[in-house]
Amino acid sequence: MSAIVTRFAPSPTGLLHIGHVFSALEGWRLARDNGGWFLLRIEDIDRARCRDAFEHAILEDLAWLGIDWDGEVRRQSDHLGAYASVLAELRARRLVYPCFCTRRQIAREVEKAQAAPHGPLGLIYPGTCRTLAAAEAEARLEAGDHHAWRLDVTRAMDETGPLAWRTLDGSTIPVDTGTAGDVVLARKDIPTSYHLAVTHDDHVQGVTVVTRGCDLAPATHVHCLIRRLMGWKEPLHHHHRLLLGEDGRRHAKRDRSVTVRSLREAGLTSEDVLAMAQS
Ligand code: GLU
């Protein structure tokens, strides 16, 4: 068997909190206990929300905790050209289509269709622009109209046939893209989205076990589909539980009290913080 490669992939939109530490430890331990590799990736494609200061703080906090990583840190904003190439290929194969709808239009369409508006990944797109005439879509693209590129999930599944992904503990989960709909794979000004960048990078970095919170498990169905379309190897998945605060709610970036930074400033040692993340 080849070596285990795991990764921690935070978005630098805030300080590292105790829930992140728990998540990082899941991948770190899996790699370290098995003589594998633990990679660190900064998912900073959303430049409006990401801050260099948060990226520096994440690296510093992980080092302070003794959570070390192998090789160079990969920063997604350095690889926009690679994502653009994947998008171009999917476009050439007519597996993505441009969508010109605003959020408000989508909400109105969903209401009209009396469909379930939200899946676990957010609003389910009702497919309005999927049937737009090619000439109209081209004209609107040429005119520079605001748009996103959506995966044509039905067409894609027709191409791949039924799919499944596997968990680390040996379960096989059939792919069900129904709760996601035609997800956004890129935007007019950013040639990628979370779904495209994360699958591309797990592929090029040779990740063998994707470790992340169970809140992201619904996205794995879409990721499995993208991987098969692109001929990328399917990793195993470990969707770990989310660490909950004393109030029973999951930790979030807005909870200042549980950031590594604030715990450190309050005088806790790295051992104390690691113990908290494992309690
Ligand atoms: N960047 C994502 C986040 O911070 C995690 C992505 C992943 O692990 O797949 O929520």
Side-chain angles (χ1 to χ4, degrees), residues 7-13 20 23 41-44 76 194 198-199 202 210-213 215-216 219-220 223 239-240 250 253:
R7 53 34 168 211
F8 177 52
S11 301
T13 55
H20 290 121
S23 186
R41 184 162 78 225
I42 298 295
E43 303 212 323
D44 61 345
Q76 290 190 325
Y194 161 62
V198 85
T199 47
D202 285 338
V210 169
T211 56
R212 59 181 171 219
D215 54 331
L216 286 171
T220 298
H223 297 178
H239 296 127
H240 60 72
R250 57 183 283 204
K253 284 176 179 153

PDB file of all heavy atoms in Angstrom, residues 7-13 20 23 41-44 76 194 198-199 202 210-213 215-216 219-220 223 239-240 250 253, ligand 1:
ATOM      1  N   ARG A   7      -4.330  15.937   4.669  1.00  0.00           N
ATOM      2  CA  ARG A   7      -4.090  17.393   4.591  1.00  0.00           C
ATOM      3  C   ARG A   7      -5.068  18.139   5.494  1.00  0.00           C
ATOM      4  O   ARG A   7      -6.145  17.655   5.842  1.00  0.00           O
ATOM      5  CB  ARG A   7      -4.179  17.906   3.166  1.00  0.00           C
ATOM      6  CG  ARG A   7      -5.386  17.656   2.258  1.00  0.00           C
ATOM      7  CD  ARG A   7      -6.707  17.593   2.844  1.00  0.00           C
ATOM      8  NE  ARG A   7      -7.795  17.623   1.887  1.00  0.00           N
ATOM      9  CZ  ARG A   7      -8.981  18.159   2.165  1.00  0.00           C
ATOM     10  NH1 ARG A   7      -9.230  18.672   3.337  1.00  0.00           N
ATOM     11  NH2 ARG A   7      -9.928  18.121   1.255  1.00  0.00           N
ATOM     12  N   PHE A   8      -4.615  19.342   5.863  1.00  0.00           N
ATOM     13  CA  PHE A   8      -5.490  20.274   6.565  1.00  0.00           C
ATOM     14  C   PHE A   8      -5.588  21.471   5.640  1.00  0.00           C
ATOM     15  O   PHE A   8      -4.569  21.934   5.122  1.00  0.00           O
ATOM     16  CB  PHE A   8      -4.874  20.636   7.920  1.00  0.00           C
ATOM     17  CG  PHE A   8      -5.652  21.648   8.713  1.00  0.00           C
ATOM     18  CD1 PHE A   8      -7.011  21.461   8.963  1.00  0.00           C
ATOM     19  CD2 PHE A   8      -5.024  22.786   9.225  1.00  0.00           C
ATOM     20  CE1 PHE A   8      -7.728  22.396   9.698  1.00  0.00           C
ATOM     21  CE2 PHE A   8      -5.738  23.718   9.964  1.00  0.00           C
ATOM     22  CZ  PHE A   8      -7.088  23.519  10.203  1.00  0.00           C
ATOM     23  N   ALA A   9      -6.820  21.938   5.381  1.00  0.00           N
ATOM     24  CA  ALA A   9      -7.003  22.943   4.321  1.00  0.00           C
ATOM     25  C   ALA A   9      -7.856  24.122   4.798  1.00  0.00           C
ATOM     26  O   ALA A   9      -8.966  24.322   4.330  1.00  0.00           O
ATOM     27  CB  ALA A   9      -7.654  22.266   3.109  1.00  0.00           C
ATOM     28  N   PRO A  10      -7.327  24.912   5.740  1.00  0.00           N
ATOM     29  CA  PRO A  10      -8.135  26.027   6.256  1.00  0.00           C
ATOM     30  C   PRO A  10      -8.253  27.192   5.274  1.00  0.00           C
ATOM     31  O   PRO A  10      -7.382  27.381   4.424  1.00  0.00           O
ATOM     32  CB  PRO A  10      -7.366  26.453   7.509  1.00  0.00           C
ATOM     33  CG  PRO A  10      -5.945  26.103   7.203  1.00  0.00           C
ATOM     34  CD  PRO A  10      -5.989  24.858   6.346  1.00  0.00           C
ATOM     35  N   SER A  11      -9.336  27.931   5.405  1.00  0.00           N
ATOM     36  CA  SER A  11      -9.493  29.177   4.650  1.00  0.00           C
ATOM     37  C   SER A  11      -9.111  30.310   5.597  1.00  0.00           C
ATOM     38  O   SER A  11      -9.655  30.378   6.703  1.00  0.00           O
ATOM     39  CB  SER A  11     -10.946  29.352   4.200  1.00  0.00           C
ATOM     40  OG  SER A  11     -11.306  28.260   3.393  1.00  0.00           O
ATOM     41  N   PRO A  12      -8.211  31.199   5.172  1.00  0.00           N
ATOM     42  CA  PRO A  12      -7.765  32.248   6.100  1.00  0.00           C
ATOM     43  C   PRO A  12      -8.754  33.411   6.203  1.00  0.00           C
ATOM     44  O   PRO A  12      -8.448  34.545   5.852  1.00  0.00           O
ATOM     45  CB  PRO A  12      -6.419  32.677   5.512  1.00  0.00           C
ATOM     46  CG  PRO A  12      -6.540  32.389   4.051  1.00  0.00           C
ATOM     47  CD  PRO A  12      -7.473  31.235   3.892  1.00  0.00           C
ATOM     48  N   THR A  13      -9.945  33.089   6.676  1.00  0.00           N
ATOM     49  CA  THR A  13     -10.979  34.124   6.836  1.00  0.00           C
ATOM     50  C   THR A  13     -11.160  34.476   8.304  1.00  0.00           C
ATOM     51  O   THR A  13     -12.072  35.215   8.669  1.00  0.00           O
ATOM     52  CB  THR A  13     -12.327  33.643   6.261  1.00  0.00           C
ATOM     53  OG1 THR A  13     -12.654  32.391   6.887  1.00  0.00           O
ATOM     54  CG2 THR A  13     -12.266  33.441   4.763  1.00  0.00           C
ATOM     55  N   HIS A  20     -10.944  23.883  14.619  1.00  0.00           N
ATOM     56  CA  HIS A  20      -9.930  23.656  13.578  1.00  0.00           C
ATOM     57  C   HIS A  20      -8.812  22.759  14.108  1.00  0.00           C
ATOM     58  O   HIS A  20      -8.286  21.923  13.386  1.00  0.00           O
ATOM     59  CB  HIS A  20      -9.267  24.974  13.145  1.00  0.00           C
ATOM     60  CG  HIS A  20     -10.162  25.886  12.382  1.00  0.00           C
ATOM     61  ND1 HIS A  20     -10.454  27.152  12.805  1.00  0.00           N
ATOM     62  CD2 HIS A  20     -10.824  25.729  11.220  1.00  0.00           C
ATOM     63  CE1 HIS A  20     -11.242  27.730  11.938  1.00  0.00           C
ATOM     64  NE2 HIS A  20     -11.490  26.889  10.955  1.00  0.00           N
ATOM     65  N   SER A  23      -9.806  19.273  13.953  1.00  0.00           N
ATOM     66  CA  SER A  23      -9.792  18.811  12.578  1.00  0.00           C
ATOM     67  C   SER A  23      -8.352  18.557  12.092  1.00  0.00           C
ATOM     68  O   SER A  23      -8.060  17.521  11.490  1.00  0.00           O
ATOM     69  CB  SER A  23     -10.480  19.853  11.688  1.00  0.00           C
ATOM     70  OG  SER A  23     -10.599  19.364  10.389  1.00  0.00           O
ATOM     71  N   ARG A  41      -2.634  23.211   3.311  1.00  0.00           N
ATOM     72  CA  ARG A  41      -3.068  23.959   2.122  1.00  0.00           C
ATOM     73  C   ARG A  41      -3.915  25.150   2.578  1.00  0.00           C
ATOM     74  O   ARG A  41      -4.828  24.986   3.372  1.00  0.00           O
ATOM     75  CB  ARG A  41      -3.895  23.039   1.241  1.00  0.00           C
ATOM     76  CG  ARG A  41      -4.311  23.676  -0.037  1.00  0.00           C
ATOM     77  CD  ARG A  41      -4.739  22.632  -1.031  1.00  0.00           C
ATOM     78  NE  ARG A  41      -6.073  22.121  -0.768  1.00  0.00           N
ATOM     79  CZ  ARG A  41      -6.405  20.834  -0.797  1.00  0.00           C
ATOM     80  NH1 ARG A  41      -5.507  19.897  -1.042  1.00  0.00           N
ATOM     81  NH2 ARG A  41      -7.628  20.462  -0.566  1.00  0.00           N
ATOM     82  N   ILE A  42      -3.592  26.306   2.041  1.00  0.00           N
ATOM     83  CA  ILE A  42      -4.343  27.510   2.386  1.00  0.00           C
ATOM     84  C   ILE A  42      -5.365  27.753   1.271  1.00  0.00           C
ATOM     85  O   ILE A  42      -4.995  27.989   0.122  1.00  0.00           O
ATOM     86  CB  ILE A  42      -3.381  28.722   2.551  1.00  0.00           C
ATOM     87  CG1 ILE A  42      -2.391  28.472   3.706  1.00  0.00           C
ATOM     88  CG2 ILE A  42      -4.157  30.018   2.767  1.00  0.00           C
ATOM     89  CD1 ILE A  42      -2.989  28.383   5.087  1.00  0.00           C
ATOM     90  N   GLU A  43      -6.640  27.656   1.621  1.00  0.00           N
ATOM     91  CA  GLU A  43      -7.701  27.776   0.615  1.00  0.00           C
ATOM     92  C   GLU A  43      -8.195  29.227   0.586  1.00  0.00           C
ATOM     93  O   GLU A  43      -9.142  29.603   1.272  1.00  0.00           O
ATOM     94  CB  GLU A  43      -8.814  26.774   0.936  1.00  0.00           C
ATOM     95  CG  GLU A  43      -8.251  25.346   0.995  1.00  0.00           C
ATOM     96  CD  GLU A  43      -9.199  24.272   0.545  1.00  0.00           C
ATOM     97  OE1 GLU A  43     -10.407  24.371   0.812  1.00  0.00           O
ATOM     98  OE2 GLU A  43      -8.721  23.299  -0.091  1.00  0.00           O
ATOM     99  N   ASP A  44      -7.504  30.018  -0.218  1.00  0.00           N
ATOM    100  CA  ASP A  44      -7.723  31.470  -0.183  1.00  0.00           C
ATOM    101  C   ASP A  44      -8.235  32.023  -1.520  1.00  0.00           C
ATOM    102  O   ASP A  44      -7.822  33.098  -1.938  1.00  0.00           O
ATOM    103  CB  ASP A  44      -6.414  32.174   0.212  1.00  0.00           C
ATOM    104  CG  ASP A  44      -5.294  31.907  -0.789  1.00  0.00           C
ATOM    105  OD1 ASP A  44      -5.432  30.972  -1.616  1.00  0.00           O
ATOM    106  OD2 ASP A  44      -4.289  32.643  -0.767  1.00  0.00           O
ATOM    107  N   GLN A  76      -3.819  28.327  -2.634  1.00  0.00           N
ATOM    108  CA  GLN A  76      -4.645  28.175  -3.842  1.00  0.00           C
ATOM    109  C   GLN A  76      -4.599  29.394  -4.756  1.00  0.00           C
ATOM    110  O   GLN A  76      -4.675  29.247  -5.973  1.00  0.00           O
ATOM    111  CB  GLN A  76      -6.086  27.846  -3.453  1.00  0.00           C
ATOM    112  CG  GLN A  76      -6.202  26.439  -2.880  1.00  0.00           C
ATOM    113  CD  GLN A  76      -7.620  25.962  -2.691  1.00  0.00           C
ATOM    114  OE1 GLN A  76      -8.502  26.760  -2.351  1.00  0.00           O
ATOM    115  NE2 GLN A  76      -7.849  24.685  -2.881  1.00  0.00           N
ATOM    116  N   TYR A 194     -14.810  26.403  -4.513  1.00  0.00           N
ATOM    117  CA  TYR A 194     -14.320  25.424  -3.534  1.00  0.00           C
ATOM    118  C   TYR A 194     -14.278  24.020  -4.151  1.00  0.00           C
ATOM    119  O   TYR A 194     -13.258  23.319  -4.049  1.00  0.00           O
ATOM    120  CB  TYR A 194     -15.233  25.466  -2.296  1.00  0.00           C
ATOM    121  CG  TYR A 194     -15.125  24.238  -1.430  1.00  0.00           C
ATOM    122  CD1 TYR A 194     -13.917  23.892  -0.818  1.00  0.00           C
ATOM    123  CD2 TYR A 194     -16.223  23.398  -1.225  1.00  0.00           C
ATOM    124  CE1 TYR A 194     -13.809  22.752  -0.038  1.00  0.00           C
ATOM    125  CE2 TYR A 194     -16.125  22.260  -0.448  1.00  0.00           C
ATOM    126  CZ  TYR A 194     -14.910  21.943   0.148  1.00  0.00           C
ATOM    127  OH  TYR A 194     -14.809  20.802   0.906  1.00  0.00           O
ATOM    128  N   VAL A 198     -10.645  22.256  -4.560  1.00  0.00           N
ATOM    129  CA  VAL A 198     -10.333  21.240  -3.557  1.00  0.00           C
ATOM    130  C   VAL A 198     -10.069  19.889  -4.225  1.00  0.00           C
ATOM    131  O   VAL A 198      -9.143  19.164  -3.855  1.00  0.00           O
ATOM    132  CB  VAL A 198     -11.459  21.187  -2.483  1.00  0.00           C
ATOM    133  CG1 VAL A 198     -12.613  20.308  -2.883  1.00  0.00           C
ATOM    134  CG2 VAL A 198     -10.944  20.707  -1.146  1.00  0.00           C
ATOM    135  N   THR A 199     -10.842  19.531  -5.248  1.00  0.00           N
ATOM    136  CA  THR A 199     -10.634  18.239  -5.910  1.00  0.00           C
ATOM    137  C   THR A 199      -9.342  18.273  -6.739  1.00  0.00           C
ATOM    138  O   THR A 199      -8.580  17.314  -6.736  1.00  0.00           O
ATOM    139  CB  THR A 199     -11.826  17.864  -6.820  1.00  0.00           C
ATOM    140  OG1 THR A 199     -12.168  18.988  -7.621  1.00  0.00           O
ATOM    141  CG2 THR A 199     -13.027  17.431  -6.010  1.00  0.00           C
ATOM    142  N   ASP A 202      -6.387  18.132  -4.172  1.00  0.00           N
ATOM    143  CA  ASP A 202      -6.217  16.805  -3.555  1.00  0.00           C
ATOM    144  C   ASP A 202      -5.582  15.856  -4.575  1.00  0.00           C
ATOM    145  O   ASP A 202      -4.772  15.011  -4.233  1.00  0.00           O
ATOM    146  CB  ASP A 202      -7.564  16.248  -3.055  1.00  0.00           C
ATOM    147  CG  ASP A 202      -8.023  16.939  -1.770  1.00  0.00           C
ATOM    148  OD1 ASP A 202      -7.170  17.508  -1.057  1.00  0.00           O
ATOM    149  OD2 ASP A 202      -9.240  16.920  -1.476  1.00  0.00           O
ATOM    150  N   VAL A 210      -8.929  12.074   2.523  1.00  0.00           N
ATOM    151  CA  VAL A 210      -9.441  13.426   2.746  1.00  0.00           C
ATOM    152  C   VAL A 210     -10.065  13.436   4.150  1.00  0.00           C
ATOM    153  O   VAL A 210     -11.006  12.701   4.417  1.00  0.00           O
ATOM    154  CB  VAL A 210     -10.508  13.781   1.682  1.00  0.00           C
ATOM    155  CG1 VAL A 210     -11.244  15.057   2.055  1.00  0.00           C
ATOM    156  CG2 VAL A 210      -9.846  13.922   0.318  1.00  0.00           C
ATOM    157  N   THR A 211      -9.484  14.231   5.043  1.00  0.00           N
ATOM    158  CA  THR A 211     -10.054  14.338   6.394  1.00  0.00           C
ATOM    159  C   THR A 211     -10.669  15.725   6.526  1.00  0.00           C
ATOM    160  O   THR A 211     -10.005  16.733   6.278  1.00  0.00           O
ATOM    161  CB  THR A 211      -8.968  14.163   7.481  1.00  0.00           C
ATOM    162  OG1 THR A 211      -7.941  15.115   7.250  1.00  0.00           O
ATOM    163  CG2 THR A 211      -8.372  12.775   7.475  1.00  0.00           C
ATOM    164  N   ARG A 212     -11.916  15.776   6.886  1.00  0.00           N
ATOM    165  CA  ARG A 212     -12.587  17.063   7.101  1.00  0.00           C
ATOM    166  C   ARG A 212     -13.863  16.816   7.890  1.00  0.00           C
ATOM    167  O   ARG A 212     -14.304  15.673   8.022  1.00  0.00           O
ATOM    168  CB  ARG A 212     -12.862  17.782   5.785  1.00  0.00           C
ATOM    169  CG  ARG A 212     -13.719  17.001   4.841  1.00  0.00           C
ATOM    170  CD  ARG A 212     -13.934  17.781   3.550  1.00  0.00           C
ATOM    171  NE  ARG A 212     -14.580  16.966   2.556  1.00  0.00           N
ATOM    172  CZ  ARG A 212     -14.276  16.979   1.254  1.00  0.00           C
ATOM    173  NH1 ARG A 212     -13.356  17.773   0.803  1.00  0.00           N
ATOM    174  NH2 ARG A 212     -14.924  16.201   0.409  1.00  0.00           N
ATOM    175  N   GLY A 213     -14.467  17.914   8.354  1.00  0.00           N
ATOM    176  CA  GLY A 213     -15.644  17.795   9.200  1.00  0.00           C
ATOM    177  C   GLY A 213     -16.829  17.157   8.478  1.00  0.00           C
ATOM    178  O   GLY A 213     -16.942  17.260   7.249  1.00  0.00           O
ATOM    179  N   ASP A 215     -19.700  18.129   8.351  1.00  0.00           N
ATOM    180  CA  ASP A 215     -20.556  19.135   7.712  1.00  0.00           C
ATOM    181  C   ASP A 215     -20.254  19.230   6.220  1.00  0.00           C
ATOM    182  O   ASP A 215     -21.103  19.675   5.440  1.00  0.00           O
ATOM    183  CB  ASP A 215     -20.389  20.507   8.383  1.00  0.00           C
ATOM    184  CG  ASP A 215     -18.929  20.967   8.439  1.00  0.00           C
ATOM    185  OD1 ASP A 215     -18.015  20.110   8.497  1.00  0.00           O
ATOM    186  OD2 ASP A 215     -18.703  22.185   8.408  1.00  0.00           O
ATOM    187  N   LEU A 216     -19.054  18.790   5.820  1.00  0.00           N
ATOM    188  CA  LEU A 216     -18.692  18.869   4.395  1.00  0.00           C
ATOM    189  C   LEU A 216     -18.943  17.556   3.647  1.00  0.00           C
ATOM    190  O   LEU A 216     -18.686  17.461   2.443  1.00  0.00           O
ATOM    191  CB  LEU A 216     -17.230  19.302   4.236  1.00  0.00           C
ATOM    192  CG  LEU A 216     -16.976  20.785   4.528  1.00  0.00           C
ATOM    193  CD1 LEU A 216     -15.488  21.097   4.571  1.00  0.00           C
ATOM    194  CD2 LEU A 216     -17.669  21.671   3.494  1.00  0.00           C
ATOM    195  N   ALA A 219     -20.693  17.564   0.249  1.00  0.00           N
ATOM    196  CA  ALA A 219     -19.900  18.034  -0.898  1.00  0.00           C
ATOM    197  C   ALA A 219     -19.126  16.887  -1.539  1.00  0.00           C
ATOM    198  O   ALA A 219     -18.764  16.951  -2.724  1.00  0.00           O
ATOM    199  CB  ALA A 219     -18.924  19.129  -0.451  1.00  0.00           C
ATOM    200  N   THR A 220     -18.872  15.830  -0.769  1.00  0.00           N
ATOM    201  CA  THR A 220     -18.076  14.716  -1.289  1.00  0.00           C
ATOM    202  C   THR A 220     -18.753  14.054  -2.490  1.00  0.00           C
ATOM    203  O   THR A 220     -18.090  13.564  -3.404  1.00  0.00           O
ATOM    204  CB  THR A 220     -17.800  13.703  -0.156  1.00  0.00           C
ATOM    205  OG1 THR A 220     -17.042  14.392   0.845  1.00  0.00           O
ATOM    206  CG2 THR A 220     -17.001  12.499  -0.631  1.00  0.00           C
ATOM    207  N   HIS A 223     -17.735  16.059  -5.352  1.00  0.00           N
ATOM    208  CA  HIS A 223     -16.292  15.920  -5.579  1.00  0.00           C
ATOM    209  C   HIS A 223     -15.975  14.606  -6.276  1.00  0.00           C
ATOM    210  O   HIS A 223     -15.116  14.544  -7.149  1.00  0.00           O
ATOM    211  CB  HIS A 223     -15.533  16.010  -4.249  1.00  0.00           C
ATOM    212  CG  HIS A 223     -15.701  17.343  -3.584  1.00  0.00           C
ATOM    213  ND1 HIS A 223     -15.162  17.675  -2.373  1.00  0.00           N
ATOM    214  CD2 HIS A 223     -16.379  18.452  -3.987  1.00  0.00           C
ATOM    215  CE1 HIS A 223     -15.477  18.916  -2.068  1.00  0.00           C
ATOM    216  NE2 HIS A 223     -16.226  19.408  -3.026  1.00  0.00           N
ATOM    217  N   HIS A 239     -14.745  11.698   7.379  1.00  0.00           N
ATOM    218  CA  HIS A 239     -15.514  12.885   7.801  1.00  0.00           C
ATOM    219  C   HIS A 239     -15.680  12.811   9.314  1.00  0.00           C
ATOM    220  O   HIS A 239     -16.477  12.032   9.808  1.00  0.00           O
ATOM    221  CB  HIS A 239     -16.891  12.894   7.108  1.00  0.00           C
ATOM    222  CG  HIS A 239     -16.795  13.019   5.615  1.00  0.00           C
ATOM    223  ND1 HIS A 239     -17.394  12.153   4.753  1.00  0.00           N
ATOM    224  CD2 HIS A 239     -16.147  13.924   4.842  1.00  0.00           C
ATOM    225  CE1 HIS A 239     -17.126  12.508   3.504  1.00  0.00           C
ATOM    226  NE2 HIS A 239     -16.372  13.588   3.527  1.00  0.00           N
ATOM    227  N   HIS A 240     -14.883  13.597   9.980  1.00  0.00           N
ATOM    228  CA  HIS A 240     -14.885  13.484  11.448  1.00  0.00           C
ATOM    229  C   HIS A 240     -16.020  14.296  12.071  1.00  0.00           C
ATOM    230  O   HIS A 240     -16.566  15.207  11.450  1.00  0.00           O
ATOM    231  CB  HIS A 240     -13.518  13.920  12.004  1.00  0.00           C
ATOM    232  CG  HIS A 240     -13.161  15.344  11.658  1.00  0.00           C
ATOM    233  ND1 HIS A 240     -13.777  16.431  12.231  1.00  0.00           N
ATOM    234  CD2 HIS A 240     -12.264  15.856  10.774  1.00  0.00           C
ATOM    235  CE1 HIS A 240     -13.265  17.542  11.739  1.00  0.00           C
ATOM    236  NE2 HIS A 240     -12.351  17.218  10.838  1.00  0.00           N
ATOM    237  N   ARG A 250     -21.609  24.155  17.361  1.00  0.00           N
ATOM    238  CA  ARG A 250     -20.260  23.989  16.827  1.00  0.00           C
ATOM    239  C   ARG A 250     -19.478  25.291  16.954  1.00  0.00           C
ATOM    240  O   ARG A 250     -20.053  26.379  16.949  1.00  0.00           O
ATOM    241  CB  ARG A 250     -20.314  23.545  15.367  1.00  0.00           C
ATOM    242  CG  ARG A 250     -21.086  24.490  14.492  1.00  0.00           C
ATOM    243  CD  ARG A 250     -21.158  23.950  13.115  1.00  0.00           C
ATOM    244  NE  ARG A 250     -19.891  24.178  12.451  1.00  0.00           N
ATOM    245  CZ  ARG A 250     -19.739  24.248  11.142  1.00  0.00           C
ATOM    246  NH1 ARG A 250     -20.790  24.090  10.360  1.00  0.00           N
ATOM    247  NH2 ARG A 250     -18.570  24.464  10.597  1.00  0.00           N
ATOM    248  N   LYS A 253     -15.840  30.829  13.699  1.00  0.00           N
ATOM    249  CA  LYS A 253     -14.811  31.870  13.745  1.00  0.00           C
ATOM    250  C   LYS A 253     -15.259  33.080  14.576  1.00  0.00           C
ATOM    251  O   LYS A 253     -14.450  33.836  15.069  1.00  0.00           O
ATOM    252  CB  LYS A 253     -14.463  32.289  12.323  1.00  0.00           C
ATOM    253  CG  LYS A 253     -13.580  31.233  11.673  1.00  0.00           C
ATOM    254  CD  LYS A 253     -13.257  31.511  10.241  1.00  0.00           C
ATOM    255  CE  LYS A 253     -12.350  30.389   9.733  1.00  0.00           C
ATOM    256  NZ  LYS A 253     -12.442  30.144   8.331  1.00  0.00           N
TER     257      LYS A 253
HETATM  258  N1  GLU B   1     -11.315  25.180   3.212  1.00  0.00           N
HETATM  259  C1  GLU B   1     -12.407  24.470   3.814  1.00  0.00           C
HETATM  260  C2  GLU B   1     -12.768  25.126   5.138  1.00  0.00           C
HETATM  261  O1  GLU B   1     -11.961  25.836   5.699  1.00  0.00           O
HETATM  262  C3  GLU B   1     -12.099  23.020   4.084  1.00  0.00           C
HETATM  263  C4  GLU B   1     -11.958  22.264   2.844  1.00  0.00           C
HETATM  264  C5  GLU B   1     -11.826  20.754   2.977  1.00  0.00           C
HETATM  265  O2  GLU B   1     -11.265  20.274   3.971  1.00  0.00           O
HETATM  266  O3  GLU B   1     -12.236  20.090   2.075  1.00  0.00           O
HETATM  267  O4  GLU B   1     -13.867  24.905   5.582  1.00  0.00           O
END
